Amino acid sequence: METQKFIVALLTYVKPIGYVILPYSCFREHEKFISVHERLSPLNISKYPGLSAAESDFLKLTESYSNQAIIKQFSKKNQSPKDFFTNPDKKLLDEMIRPLIERKLARIIEILLENNIPLYNGKGGSNLYAEDKINIERECPQASLKFTRTEQGTHYKLRVFHGKWEIVLNNPENIILVNEPCWYLAGNKLVKFNEQISGKLLIPFRNKDFVSIPKHIEYKYFSTFIRKIANRCDIEAEGFQIKDLQYQPKAILSLEVDWQGRKALILQFQYGDKVILANNLQRNFTTLLADENGFIFNRFKRNMACEVEQIRFLKSKNLKQVEAAFVLNEREAGLDQDYQMVEWLTENKADLLDHSFNIRQPENKKYLFEIPVLDLKMDSGFDWFDLMGTVVINEVTIPFIKFRNHIINNIKEYALPTGEIVILPDEWFSRFQDIMLYAKEQNHAIRISKHHYKLLASISGPEIERLGKSIEFPENVELPPLTNVTPRPYQLAGFYWMHSLQRHGLGGILADDMGLGKTLQAIALLASYYPADENTDKPVYSDSSRTFLSPSIQLDLFAQPETNPDLPGSSFNKSNAKTGFNRPNSSLVVMPASLIHNWYNELQRFAPWLRIYIHVGSGRVSSSLFFKNIDIILTTYGTLRNDIDTFGKYVFGYIILDESQAIKNPDSKSTQAVFSLQSLHRMVLSGTPIQNSLSDIWSQFNFLNPGMLGSHQHFLKYYATPLSKNPDDPAAAKLKNLIQPFILRRTKEKVAPELPPVTETVVYCTMTDEQQRIYDAEKSKIRNSILEKFESEGVKNSSVMVLKALMLLRQLANHPRMIDSDSDAGSGKFTEVTESLETVLAENHKVLIFSSFVRHLKLVEEFCISEGYKYAMLTGATTNREKVINSFRKKSDIKLFLISLKAGGVGLNLTEADYVFILDPWWNPAAEMQALNRAHRIGQDKNVFVYRFITKDTVEEKIVKLQQKKKDLAELFVTSDSTIAGMTREEIMTIFA
């Protein structure tokens, strides 16, 4: 059986560097001694796999002063190792090498002591006995100096006691192993002196019992050396004057920065002119006063009871002690960590003074420990609130608006005219920062627009409460006498909500699910704005390229235009704007071209008394003078953009944007045209106000309530950019709170439970072998090209290439013939689609077939023709749109309706169909929801079945996964949001993996 080995430390003398401690492995085969086996080094350490962490640290430290390590660090160029050690540079040895070794030895001794690793005196021989063991003592020895003065001079002696045992300093066998901190070997005891006594103080007594100071150098010696050491240990003196002083300590708290960079309070106690750190271990102090007439020793003892009481008080105030420093025990989460200590001092200043603490600060930066007192009052007008605030700091009054920049930019320090610095309360930042972001200075007041009323939730006021209640819980108002319809309860609620916004001069987004009757609710709003009048002539309809004009109205081309009323924010009373017919100014409804006839038909059906003019086509008027004869003007986004000079001259009663996501791009000409319009009231309709990015809602709100979300750059900085990086950013809650009163969204599941259920199925399709080969080859080429593009131009400048590459792979996933019309590769998806169609048609169902590719629909069209299936087809190129739609709705033999997503995503009511085929996915699931809602809307009485066809192992699968991942952000606000914009390089390359 192999003898078990263990590790010990040996104290060894090594020429010329002095005493060191080295690790050895030992074993015991005799009860009286242990045998040394070998020294541990990197060469044999592999034989000792069971070393503890402490033993490993011990070994690493000893290697730092091995011969190789010292030669590598300190030897001169071309100096041999033998020459380095046989002819050492004494200055280098004493001033650099030995201090380095002693720092390592001090750490080693601590490791040995804390981990019970035995230390032996290695005097030679391979056996170690009990008397060779060195005991590392935990208790510090006590030192005292005894001075005796005679006519010839003074001599002094240093005496050291460890317990009751006196250490004889001039014993030649004793060793000063480490100078600072002083580790001293006396016999078999290794003791550590307190930090006041270094090994150098002991050196004079190694060879003599006392030190003599001749009379003629007494003054110089006492003024230098003795003055330094007199304070380090107890003093006895004969022939000197000794004064025992009694002091009541003064507690001093100094605001400083600790070693971790935190603001901390350093506690010191002042005894007379002596200042002592709170963690100083020395209890007794002696100071020496020397002049040409003699020497005086002043002695005093610290009042530890008083010091402990002061420390106890600080700890009771949520502070914890770290050496002489006091830091906050628990820092309040979410508040500025740098200033919590200053705030603590401000809050506890009175108590500290009551407990006799003296607070000190650096001369270059002084804080005023005062809490600013804010006095706030409120005033309001038609579309604004004013906050009048004053702040009192140390009897100085400052307008609250002066703190606006500090609050917006999280600047906690406010410099007073006196040069002192006050820390602004954290509550100001949490309570007023959002207000200050949007506020303007108005006669020393903080003016905030009415549409920002939610930001004032922390400020109580009856005006704010009334406004919030009116918008969030609108009162019932009289419904206009609509014909041929009875609005549903949720539609009435929508009308009341919009009417409440109108009363307060605010705009909003009606964002109900598609199919819930947003158009009807908007018509009810317009019908109440233009009530039925028996003197009102009915307009005469000709066609969409001409005007609708009452025969009793003559257009005076020479009439002077009416003076436009002031814009919102002026003193103009909006409710008094009337035309020559004593009715409100004309209203403008802007929409995609595909909805013009739908809007006209719905207006005629539900509010036939309204004068309507369709401003499209070649015969449209060119003067805004004509508008005063009309109630409702219908136009398209494209026509508005082209005729903005005409529209921009008139102040409309209402402007309503339908499918308002059309203005999502703030830089587009259409959006800029919409922004330049003037009106008294505004409303937008959209089931998908967020389509491509969160910025979509900025454009819509900038139209509805200008300035509500700040500038576009402001919105990107404070909301869009943070939320694109982290959907859980606190900016989400802030934005939702700001816009929530001005968005009304109801889902079909909540408000129309009578609708039959929707069954959604994902059909995963497998590519044919040849289709798979073509797809994989193209994907490999594309991936390499994109990587090269990323390296040369970066991700941002590669977006066009990425989109083209995705388009190509999507088309191949659908059918190779979409790329090469002569390809005979076949398509697994196309086979799946056509087989499903045959089954559904055999059961006599009507089917809507959606694709984002017209070319894909053409392939389905070829299949229908070859099989003899009758169909209707709607794309962007369709000119007789109404005729095509009606053919599918009214002809029982036309079962298939092929629709491009772009052409048929909005404005269609196709409840005749009960099956929806979506042939290919894209980033925005809202587009797919639009397709679904062509069939699943009010009026549908059949179960609706939706089939999404996805080709396995292609970009289509990746797109579906990203749809879910990217839509969460906008779900928080309104609806779904998905876009390629803002994707990272890793996300993009994952798609092409």
Side-chain angles (χ1 to χ4, degrees):
M1 182 176 178
E2 184 180 352
T3 303
Q4 186 176 5
K5 298 183 177 66
F6 51 91
I7 307 302
V8 302
L10 287 188
L11 179 65
T12 307
Y13 187 81
V14 178
K15 270 190 163 187
I17 61 176
Y19 283 97
V20 295
I21 297 174
L22 299 172
Y24 280 83
S25 71
C26 296
F27 57 90
R28 182 182 293 279
E29 291 183 331
H30 196 282
E31 63 179 11
K32 291 186 177 181
F33 59 84
I34 61 175
S35 299
V36 177
H37 178 240
E38 63 180 340
R39 177 183 167 184
L40 270 64
S41 72
L43 299 177
N44 60 16
I45 192 65
S46 60
K47 296 193 298 184
Y48 300 89
L51 289 181
S52 67
E55 290 169 337
S56 297
D57 290 343
F58 173 26
L59 175 62
K60 290 176 184 176
L61 286 165
T62 61
E63 285 304 310
S64 66
Y65 52 67
S66 66
N67 288 350
Q68 293 86 349
I70 290 176
I71 289 172
K72 183 177 180 180
Q73 186 170 354
F74 296 105
S75 67
K76 298 176 182 178
K77 190 175 182 181
N78 301 323
Q79 185 180 21
S80 68
K82 181 179 179 182
D83 183 52
F84 181 81
F85 285 111
T86 56
N87 299 295
D89 182 331
K90 191 171 187 313
K91 185 177 180 182
L92 176 68
L93 184 65
D94 293 342
E95 295 182 4
M96 298 188 70
I97 297 176
R98 187 61 200 178
L100 169 68
I101 293 172
E102 289 186 5
R103 287 196 295 272
K104 305 294 183 180
L105 288 174
R107 176 67 187 127
I108 287 171
I109 294 169
E110 296 291 346
I111 291 174
L112 302 182
L113 178 62
E114 297 301 326
N115 295 278
N116 296 316
I117 299 174
L119 173 64
Y120 286 86
N121 199 332
K123 296 179 181 178
S126 57
N127 295 330
L128 300 174
Y129 295 86
E131 57 266 29
D132 297 322
K133 187 173 182 181
I134 298 173
N135 297 314
I136 305 174
E137 302 293 335
R138 293 182 180 273
E139 184 180 350
C140 293
Q142 298 298 315
S144 65
L145 280 170
K146 183 174 182 180
F147 291 88
T148 303
R149 194 177 190 211
T150 65
E151 292 183 359
Q152 290 75 32
T154 301
H155 66 261
Y156 68 93
K157 179 178 181 179
L158 178 65
R159 301 185 70 188
V160 177
F161 290 86
H162 188 258
K164 295 182 179 180
W165 171 58
E166 182 174 2
I167 298 174
V168 181
L169 297 176
N170 59 3
N171 185 336
E173 293 187 0
N174 292 350
I175 300 168
I176 301 173
L177 185 57
V178 178
N179 276 285
E180 290 188 17
C182 181
W183 282 99
Y184 187 87
L185 180 63
N188 66 344
K189 290 184 178 182
L190 182 61
V191 297
K192 180 184 179 183
F193 283 83
N194 67 47
E195 60 185 19
Q196 301 290 337
I197 298 177
S198 72
K200 293 178 181 179
L201 179 62
L202 308 182
I203 290 174
F205 302 99
R206 293 179 63 181
N207 301 316
K208 48 191 172 184
D209 192 35
F210 59 86
V211 176
S212 295
I213 307 167
K215 188 81 170 178
H216 67 279
I217 64 169
E218 219 177 27
Y219 177 76
K220 181 179 180 181
Y221 197 87
F222 273 73
S223 299
T224 54
F225 180 69
I226 300 300
R227 184 188 294 274
K228 292 179 181 179
I229 67 170
N231 201 33
R232 300 187 182 185
C233 50
D234 293 336
I235 299 292
E236 295 179 58
E238 295 178 6
F240 293 87
Q241 185 179 355
I242 298 178
K243 292 183 178 180
D244 289 310
L245 306 175
Q246 300 292 327
Y247 290 120
Q248 180 66 22
K250 297 178 181 178
I252 301 170
L253 282 175
S254 299
L255 181 62
E256 300 179 19
V257 176
D258 70 5
W259 64 275
Q260 290 183 323
R262 302 173 300 182
K263 283 188 172 64
L265 296 174
I266 307 302
L267 177 62
Q268 302 172 90
F269 293 98
Q270 184 171 357
Y271 290 84
D273 58 358
K274 182 71 175 177
V275 178
I276 304 164
L277 285 170
N279 64 328
N280 192 319
L281 298 177
Q282 190 172 340
R283 299 293 181 260
N284 302 320
F285 285 85
T286 303
T287 58
L288 176 69
L289 297 178
D291 58 31
E292 294 179 353
N293 298 319
F295 304 93
I296 301 173
F297 284 102
N298 289 327
R299 298 188 305 195
F300 67 87
K301 291 183 178 181
R302 288 167 66 181
N303 186 338
M304 298 310 298
C306 179
E307 291 187 23
V308 168
E309 177 58 27
Q310 296 289 62
I311 291 173
R312 185 203 63 76
F313 170 77
L314 293 178
K315 289 181 177 179
S316 73
K317 291 290 187 177
N318 192 33
L319 296 181
K320 65 179 178 181
Q321 185 176 5
V322 182
E323 301 295 338
F326 283 80
V327 296
L328 287 171
N329 191 37
E330 293 180 5
R331 299 195 173 208
E332 193 171 344
L335 300 183
D336 196 319
Q337 303 291 305
D338 285 344
Y339 298 108
Q340 287 195 41
M341 181 55 78
V342 180
E343 291 169 336
W344 183 93
L345 281 169
T346 301
E347 294 169 6
N348 293 278
K349 176 183 175 182
D351 281 349
L352 290 170
L353 295 178
D354 287 345
H355 283 74
S356 302
F357 282 93
N358 189 324
I359 303 171
R360 294 181 181 175
Q361 302 184 65
E363 286 294 329
N364 61 342
K365 194 172 189 179
K366 287 197 173 182
Y367 292 97
L368 179 67
F369 302 125
E370 297 285 344
I371 299 176
V373 178
L374 172 62
D375 180 33
L376 206 60
K377 297 177 182 178
M378 179 180 289
D379 191 15
S380 64
F382 175 73
D383 59 358
W384 49 262
F385 295 101
D386 274 355
L387 300 179
M388 288 77 71
T390 55
V391 177
V392 178
I393 305 174
N394 204 26
E395 299 183 353
V396 176
T397 301
I398 304 171
F400 188 42
I401 191 67
K402 298 297 183 184
F403 298 89
R404 180 171 184 261
N405 184 62
H406 283 66
I407 294 173
I408 289 176
N409 295 294
N410 290 306
I411 302 172
K412 294 274 291 181
E413 296 185 356
Y414 186 86
L416 297 170
T418 60
E420 293 173 297
I421 295 170
V422 67
I423 300 301
L424 304 185
D426 285 294
E427 182 223 4
W428 286 12
F429 295 88
S430 59
R431 188 179 177 193
F432 298 111
Q433 189 171 64
D434 291 338
I435 295 174
M436 294 296 193
L437 277 171
Y438 297 100
K440 295 180 180 179
E441 183 174 357
Q442 186 78 19
N443 298 324
H444 299 295
I446 301 165
R447 174 158 292 186
I448 192 161
S449 298
K450 185 178 287 187
H451 50 238
H452 288 130
Y453 81 91
K454 288 287 282 187
L455 300 179
L456 303 174
S458 63
I459 302 171
S460 60
E463 300 92 343
I464 298 172
E465 293 175 6
R466 281 196 295 268
L467 175 62
K469 184 178 180 181
S470 175
I471 294 174
E472 296 173 46
F473 304 98
E475 297 178 359
N476 294 358
V477 293
E478 183 179 356
L479 184 72
L482 300 175
T483 60
N484 303 310
V485 67
T486 301
R488 296 166 180 263
Y490 73 87
Q491 292 171 332
L492 283 174
F495 166 70
Y496 299 149
W497 174 75
M498 291 188 289
H499 198 278
S500 177
L501 291 179
Q502 171 191 309
R503 191 166 66 253
H504 295 292
L506 299 168
I509 301 177
L510 182 59
D512 285 344
D513 257 358
M514 289 166 284
L516 292 184
K518 293 188 290 295
T519 304
L520 171 60
Q521 295 173 69
I523 289 174
L525 181 68
L526 291 172
S528 72
Y529 196 63
Y530 301 100
D533 184 347
E534 59 186 27
N535 296 320
T536 301
D537 291 318
K538 190 85 169 61
V540 178
Y541 171 82
S542 57
D543 60 53
S544 62
S545 65
R546 303 179 63 121
T547 63
F548 300 82
L549 191 60
S550 168
S552 64
I553 299 174
Q554 299 298 318
L555 178 61
D556 183 358
L557 296 179
F558 300 99
Q560 292 298 315
E562 295 185 25
T563 302
N564 285 345
D566 295 337
L567 294 178
S570 72
S571 60
F572 174 71
N573 187 341
K574 300 176 182 181
S575 63
N576 292 332
K578 303 289 183 179
T579 66
F581 297 100
N582 198 33
R583 291 167 71 80
N585 285 12
S586 303
S587 289
L588 178 67
V589 184
V590 190
M591 66 202 75
S594 60
L595 300 184
I596 284 285
H597 289 288
N598 181 68
W599 261 91
Y600 176 74
N601 293 333
E602 299 281 90
L603 282 165
Q604 290 289 297
R605 179 183 175 192
F606 301 134
W609 66 89
L610 295 175
R611 298 179 176 91
I612 306 167
Y613 162 52
I614 300 180
H615 185 84
V616 296
S618 58
R620 60 188 189 268
V621 300
S622 59
S623 172
S624 61
L625 291 174
F626 174 73
F627 295 163
K628 69 178 182 178
N629 304 310
I630 302 300
D631 293 328
I632 311 296
I633 302 165
L634 306 180
T635 194
T636 68
Y637 288 101
T639 305
L640 170 69
R641 180 184 65 238
N642 295 332
D643 294 356
I644 190 58
D645 288 342
T646 299
F647 286 112
K649 296 174 182 177
Y650 189 77
V651 177
F652 295 96
Y654 251 106
I655 298 178
I656 295 179
L657 306 182
D658 196 5
E659 300 297 343
S660 59
Q661 69 272 12
I663 66 165
K664 60 181 178 282
N665 180 1
D667 299 321
S668 72
K669 290 182 179 179
S670 292
T671 303
Q672 290 298 316
V674 168
F675 286 170
S676 68
L677 295 174
Q678 304 176 71
S679 68
L680 307 180
H681 307 288
R682 299 182 177 197
M683 187 62 58
V684 304
L685 316 178
S686 176
T688 55
I690 297 178
Q691 275 197 328
N692 291 333
S693 73
L694 196 56
S695 289
D696 295 356
I697 62 169
W698 179 85
S699 289
Q700 293 166 81
F701 274 112
N702 193 56
F703 162 73
L704 290 168
N705 302 312
M708 177 175 161
L709 298 181
S711 68
H712 191 226
Q713 291 72 22
H714 169 99
F715 182 80
L716 293 175
K717 176 181 177 181
Y718 288 100
Y719 300 111
T721 300
L723 291 174
S724 68
K725 296 176 181 178
N726 176 21
D728 295 325
D729 191 281
K734 290 185 177 182
L735 179 58
K736 187 173 183 179
N737 175 64
L738 193 61
I739 66 176
Q740 175 267 328
F742 307 103
I743 295 183
L744 181 62
R745 175 169 176 78
R746 281 79 58 87
T747 63
K748 285 180 293 191
E749 292 76 14
K750 290 185 178 179
V751 301
E754 74 278 8
L755 275 176
V758 174
T759 302
E760 299 187 48
T761 303
V762 176
V763 180
Y764 288 100
C765 312
T766 304
M767 288 187 283
T768 65
D769 292 342
E770 182 62 15
Q771 183 185 16
Q772 182 81 60
R773 185 192 66 76
I774 297 171
Y775 182 90
D776 289 344
E778 288 297 330
K779 184 179 76 170
S780 180
K781 287 193 295 185
I782 285 170
R783 181 179 174 84
N784 293 334
S785 299
I786 290 176
L787 283 171
E788 291 176 5
K789 186 81 169 178
F790 282 173
E791 293 300 325
S792 62
E793 299 186 25
V795 175
K796 186 176 181 180
N797 296 324
S798 306
S799 58
V800 174
M801 180 181 184
V802 170
L803 286 170
K804 287 182 177 178
L806 283 169
M807 185 74 73
L808 175 63
L809 292 182
R810 289 179 65 216
Q811 289 175 314
L812 286 174
N814 285 326
H815 203 308
R817 283 182 59 194
M818 294 177 65
I819 302 300
D820 179 5
S821 59
D822 297 326
S823 174
D824 57 1
S827 164
K829 177 187 284 190
F830 193 75
T831 300
E832 192 74 48
V833 169
T834 54
E835 289 178 354
S836 299
L837 277 177
E838 289 172 342
T839 300
V840 172
L841 291 173
E843 297 172 352
N844 205 32
H845 294 285
K846 282 203 168 193
V847 188
L848 306 181
I849 303 173
F850 286 91
S851 175
S852 51
F853 298 103
V854 173
R855 195 175 301 178
H856 202 180
L857 295 176
K858 292 287 187 183
L859 293 177
V860 178
E861 182 183 34
E862 290 178 14
F863 165 77
C864 293
I865 293 172
S866 66
E867 297 297 323
Y869 296 132
K870 289 188 176 182
Y871 65 94
M873 189 168 180
L874 181 65
T875 70
T878 303
T879 56
N880 54 342
R881 181 183 176 93
E882 289 295 313
K883 183 178 178 181
V884 170
I885 294 170
N886 288 330
S887 68
F888 175 76
R889 296 184 64 182
K890 297 177 180 179
K891 294 183 180 180
S892 60
D893 59 337
I894 298 180
K895 304 290 187 184
L896 302 178
F897 199 170
L898 283 56
I899 309 172
S900 69
L901 274 178
K902 188 172 183 181
V906 295
L908 293 180
N909 186 341
L910 301 171
T911 54
E912 293 78 12
D914 55 350
Y915 275 78
V916 179
F917 282 15
I918 299 174
L919 301 190
D920 36 66
W922 191 221
W923 301 105
N924 193 351
E928 296 180 6
M929 289 302 297
Q930 286 175 330
L932 184 160
N933 283 292
R934 298 312 99 210
H936 193 248
R937 58 197 301 124
I938 300 300
Q940 179 62 270
D941 56 5
K942 301 178 288 296
N943 291 347
V944 177
F945 297 88
V946 180
Y947 288 86
R948 291 182 171 86
F949 294 87
I950 307 296
T951 304
K952 281 185 63 63
D953 303 320
T954 68
V955 293
E956 290 192 333
E957 266 195 304
K958 308 287 178 61
I959 288 171
V960 170
K961 290 179 181 178
L962 282 170
Q963 279 182 344
Q964 183 58 46
K965 179 181 177 182
K966 285 186 167 281
K967 78 175 183 177
D968 293 340
L969 177 63
E971 287 282 359
L972 180 65
F973 302 107
V974 186
T975 180
S976 53
D977 166 32
S978 299
T979 177
I980 191 172
M983 287 178 62
T984 64
R985 172 182 175 140
E986 290 71 24
E987 287 176 318
I988 292 172
M989 295 315 300
T990 298
I991 295 174
F992 295 100

